[in-house]
Amino acid sequence: MAFSLSKLFGSKTSNSMPRDTIEAIITDVENKPFGVSENNVLFAGLNELGGYFFFQTVIVGQLNVKSKNGAQLVFSGDNFKLQLEADMPEFESESSDIKGRYVTKIDFQIEEHDVKKLEEATLKSIQIKVKKHDLLFSKYVVIDASDEEE
């Protein structure tokens, strides 16, 4: 008869801690998501300050990182690829009130001529590379509840 010690004493793996869900994050945060991955939600948007353009991102979820070497953001779509570098090399995730949930804010530099290309592109994925983390987000699409009832 086989039995698991982890069932008796609890497991130290991520499966034993309460899992934060993508749906819970989307419900808790008032802004519209830009992209979703397995364990994180990406909130993002373009901003301009003094003639310089930034793509501001906020990642909410399990990503917990402290970086001194920046990050890369890669947009991929139909005949479109754009890679951006983080505006500042140093940033770190902040813990939230929800256990296991972190908030990571990263701003990326974007050139004015790339802003128009990005706005017109049909995106398929957004990838963020920071340290050993390689997060792949799919574009978030709102499903109309009335479509599901038919």
Side-chain angles (χ1 to χ4, degrees):
M1 179 172 154
F3 64 94
S4 172
L5 290 176
S6 65
K7 287 183 181 177
L8 292 174
F9 299 108
S11 173
K12 296 286 185 192
T13 65
S14 62
N15 292 339
S16 67
M17 61 187 283
R19 302 281 286 169
D20 194 17
T21 65
I22 298 302
E23 292 81 18
I25 295 170
I26 293 171
T27 301
D28 290 349
V29 179
E30 294 177 10
N31 295 338
K32 181 182 170 200
F34 190 80
V36 294
S37 71
E38 187 176 331
N39 300 309
N40 298 283
V41 178
L42 175 67
F43 299 91
L46 286 166
N47 204 351
E48 185 254 334
L49 181 64
Y52 294 97
F53 290 87
F54 299 92
F55 192 81
Q56 296 179 308
T57 67
V58 178
I59 302 163
V60 180
Q62 293 181 6
L63 176 65
N64 184 12
V65 68
K66 182 176 184 177
S67 176
K68 293 185 179 193
N69 297 318
Q72 292 82 38
L73 177 66
V74 180
F75 295 100
S76 298
D78 296 333
N79 299 319
F80 179 79
K81 190 159 193 156
L82 176 64
Q83 180 171 329
L84 305 178
E85 294 293 325
D87 180 42
M88 296 188 64
E90 293 187 27
F91 58 86
E92 79 180 274
S93 302
E94 299 173 14
S95 60
S96 75
D97 294 340
I98 310 292
K99 183 178 179 175
R101 184 185 293 179
Y102 299 90
V103 178
T104 309
K105 298 176 184 178
I106 312 170
D107 293 346
F108 295 88
Q109 299 173 1
I110 184 168
E111 297 298 323
E112 188 172 1
H113 63 275
D114 287 329
V115 169
K116 188 166 180 85
K117 292 179 193 176
L118 179 60
E119 290 176 336
E120 293 174 354
T122 302
L123 295 179
K124 293 195 184 253
S125 67
I126 306 102
Q127 181 179 23
I128 294 183
K129 300 175 187 177
V130 55
K131 287 187 115 178
K132 295 180 182 177
H133 301 279
D134 191 347
L135 305 173
L136 186 62
F137 294 90
S138 58
K139 184 82 171 119
Y140 182 74
V141 178
V142 177
I143 298 173
D144 190 354
S146 63
D147 292 343
E148 290 180 356
E149 293 174 1
E150 293 177 11

